[in-house]
Amino acid sequence: YVTGPFAGGGGIVVEGPNQTILFDATTKLPVLIAEQSTYGSMQYSAGTAQMIEGGETTVGTAKVVWGRYVGPDQFVDPQGTRDPITMNLMFTNQAMNYLQADAYFQSNSHTFNIVPGAGNIVDNLGATYSSTGTLTVTSTANISLVINASNASRSWGLGYTGSLQQFYQSSCTGGPCGLPLTSASLAGATLIKGEAGGVFIGPNAVGALTSYSANAFDANGALIGSLQGTSLFKR
């Protein structure tokens, strides 16, 4: 039995009483995830997609589970219905909601380091990546997320900065709502766009789940690569 927020590739964050998560009785994996609030709605149905590259660990006393769905699945939000092809999911049973995190970071500052192998990062070609990174939060609830993702073919350098409210995508009435991508690098790219989101792990921000995406374009405006991922951080 797992409750609490989760983050998915592309900057999805679901929290609190507005969420519904249904789990398969045999595999214990989520098969339907939905959110309905005054700020909008979303629904992800795993369908017959298979979860691969999954795992779990603990941070403090919190359980963290992650995996990647690949195959026929469906994502629905106000922009329409589509097959995301691949969906990264990460969730915990001890998440801090936005109000709890906001109160905590008014008087606390922390730097978190990425937990190697905890999460999934994949590009538009289906290639997977390893990563390093840091997540820094100041006592005024400003956030800096740095992700360096690489494999044998490509290396992405991504930096997202913004507010805690953007990180949680709280009170979002229209996209994009997450942390904006403010610095980025990829060989051959002249423009990279993206956003990130996530949640902190309670009771005192011992870690964080993050979700992020990036799209890279060449000088002619042609898309040359996309990246999406989830990563776990702890302090």
Side-chain angles (χ1 to χ4, degrees), residues 174-190:
C177 304
L179 286 179
L181 182 64
T182 52
S183 63
S185 63
L186 175 71
T190 57

Side-chain angles (χ1 to χ4, degrees), residues 154 156 184-193 215-219 222 224-225:
R154 279 183 161 176
W156 297 73
S185 63
L186 175 71
T190 57
L191 176 65
I192 305 177
K193 300 179 180 180
N215 294 304
F217 305 86
D218 65 16
I224 61 171

Side-chain angles (χ1 to χ4, degrees), residues 64-79:
V64 178
V65 183
W66 66 88
R68 178 163 65 97
Y69 279 108
V70 177
D73 52 4
Q74 191 177 78
F75 184 82
V76 183
D77 66 6
Q79 281 68 55

Side-chain angles (χ1 to χ4, degrees), residues 127-139:
T128 58
Y129 291 74
S130 59
S131 64
T132 59
T134 57
L135 175 65
T136 303
V137 192
T138 71
S139 58

Side-chain angles (χ1 to χ4, degrees), residues 137-169:
V137 192
T138 71
S139 58
T140 54
N142 289 316
I143 292 183
S144 174
L145 170 65
V146 175
I147 298 288
N148 294 297
S150 62
N151 59 20
S153 301
R154 279 183 161 176
S155 294
W156 297 73
L158 305 172
Y160 306 83
T161 57
S163 66
L164 183 72
Q165 188 174 41
Q166 289 173 303
F167 185 69
Y168 269 78
Q169 301 177 57

Side-chain angles (χ1 to χ4, degrees), residues 6-231:
F6 72 91
I12 304 164
V13 176
V14 177
E15 64 168 280
N18 301 318
Q19 71 174 16
T20 299
I21 305 178
L22 300 181
F23 295 87
D24 182 273
T26 301
T27 66
K28 311 302 182 185
L29 297 174
V31 293
L32 177 67
I33 303 159
E35 178 187 34
Q36 178 67 53
S37 72
T38 57
Y39 305 115
S41 63
M42 58 75 66
Q43 177 179 295
Y44 174 72
S45 175
T48 58
Q50 298 297 306
M51 180 177 271
I52 62 175
E53 297 175 350
E56 65 178 68
T57 189
T58 57
V59 177
T61 59
K63 180 180 179 180
V64 178
V65 183
W66 66 88
R68 178 163 65 97
Y69 279 108
V70 177
D73 52 4
Q74 191 177 78
F75 184 82
V76 183
D77 66 6
Q79 281 68 55
T81 300
R82 53 200 178 276
D83 179 354
I85 301 175
T86 181
M87 176 65 76
N88 296 327
L89 298 178
M90 178 175 280
F91 46 98
T92 181
N93 62 345
Q94 292 185 34
M96 300 173 72
N97 64 34
Y98 169 67
L99 293 179
Q100 291 170 328
D102 186 50
Y104 180 83
F105 284 113
Q106 293 305 315
S107 56
N108 292 280
S109 300
H110 295 305
T111 295
F112 304 79
N113 293 304
I114 206 166
V115 179
N120 298 113
I121 308 173
V122 63
D123 65 16
N124 57 309
L125 302 177
T128 58
Y129 291 74
S130 59
S131 64
T132 59
T134 57
L135 175 65
T136 303
V137 192
T138 71
S139 58
T140 54
N142 289 316
I143 292 183
S144 174
L145 170 65
V146 175
I147 298 288
N148 294 297
S150 62
N151 59 20
S153 301
R154 279 183 161 176
S155 294
W156 297 73
L158 305 172
Y160 306 83
T161 57
S163 66
L164 183 72
Q165 188 174 41
Q166 289 173 303
F167 185 69
Y168 269 78
Q169 301 177 57
S170 177
S171 301
C172 178
T173 57
C177 304
L179 286 179
L181 182 64
T182 52
S183 63
S185 63
L186 175 71
T190 57
L191 176 65
I192 305 177
K193 300 179 180 180
E195 63 176 333
V199 294
F200 288 94
I201 299 171
N204 295 310
V206 294
L209 313 185
T210 64
S211 167
Y212 44 89
S213 61
N215 294 304
F217 305 86
D218 65 16
N220 296 318
L223 182 70
I224 61 171
S226 297
L227 191 77
Q228 63 166 314
T230 52
S231 292

